[in-house]
């Protein structure tokens, strides 16, 4: 399946909408786009995974790398995910303790969203 990447701005957040499958073949495109965003000055990044059908370990690695890159420049990074199969992956890998996870774009871009209590 093809990977779709669409970027938009909501308030001060750079939102990357991802669709399709994020795997060993498509993850490099996602990595490149995230690097471009950070290198271009984005400091509050939200990745919308609601249209992602599949996410493998390579994709998880790309997301971890983006989180580290943003933390290094004082930025924030959040994920929007409402699909139970993907949420299960984050729980099993304990990455739900690393990434701020939100059910909607509105929740992820709300004031104070960088430090969720949930």
């Amino acid at each position: 399946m093809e990977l779709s990447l669409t970027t938009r701005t909501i308030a001060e957040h750079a939102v990357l909408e991802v669709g399709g499958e994020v795997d060993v073949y498509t993850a490099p495109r996602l990595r490149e786009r995230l690097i471009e965003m950070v290198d271009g000055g984005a400091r509050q990044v939200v990745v919308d995974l609601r249209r992602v059908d599949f996410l493998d370990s390579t994709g998880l690695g790309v997301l971890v790398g983006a989180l580290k890159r943003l933390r290094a420049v004082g930025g924030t990074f959040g994920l929007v995910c409402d699909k139970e199969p993907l949420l299960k992956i984050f729980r099993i890998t304990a990455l739900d303790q690393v990434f701020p996870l939100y059910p909607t774009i509105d929740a992820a871009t709300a004031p104070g969203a960088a430090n969720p209590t949930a």
Side-chain angles (χ1 to χ4, degrees), residues 27-83:
R29 283 186 49 216
L30 176 59
R31 178 183 295 112
E32 289 171 16
R33 178 66 64 90
L34 287 164
I35 290 171
E36 287 171 8
M37 291 171 69
V38 176
D39 288 352
R43 292 299 176 261
Q44 293 179 307
V45 175
V46 174
V47 177
D48 183 353
L49 300 173
R50 291 177 299 169
R51 295 187 310 123
V52 170
D53 300 315
F54 178 80
L55 178 68
D56 73 2
S57 60
T58 309
L60 289 174
V62 167
L63 296 174
V64 169
L67 175 67
K68 288 180 179 180
R69 182 177 291 273
L70 274 157
R71 283 185 177 167
V73 295
T76 62
F77 187 75
L79 302 175
V80 176
C81 184
D82 62 358
K83 289 186 176 180

Side-chain angles (χ1 to χ4, degrees), residues 58-116:
T58 309
L60 289 174
V62 167
L63 296 174
V64 169
L67 175 67
K68 288 180 179 180
R69 182 177 291 273
L70 274 157
R71 283 185 177 167
V73 295
T76 62
F77 187 75
L79 302 175
V80 176
C81 184
D82 62 358
K83 289 186 176 180
E84 186 54 37
L86 293 183
L87 290 169
K88 185 176 181 180
I89 291 170
F90 288 109
R91 285 193 299 270
I92 288 171
T93 58
L95 289 173
D96 63 332
Q97 304 299 310
V98 175
F99 291 110
L101 294 167
Y102 303 94
T104 65
I105 291 288
D106 288 343
T109 59
N115 300 305

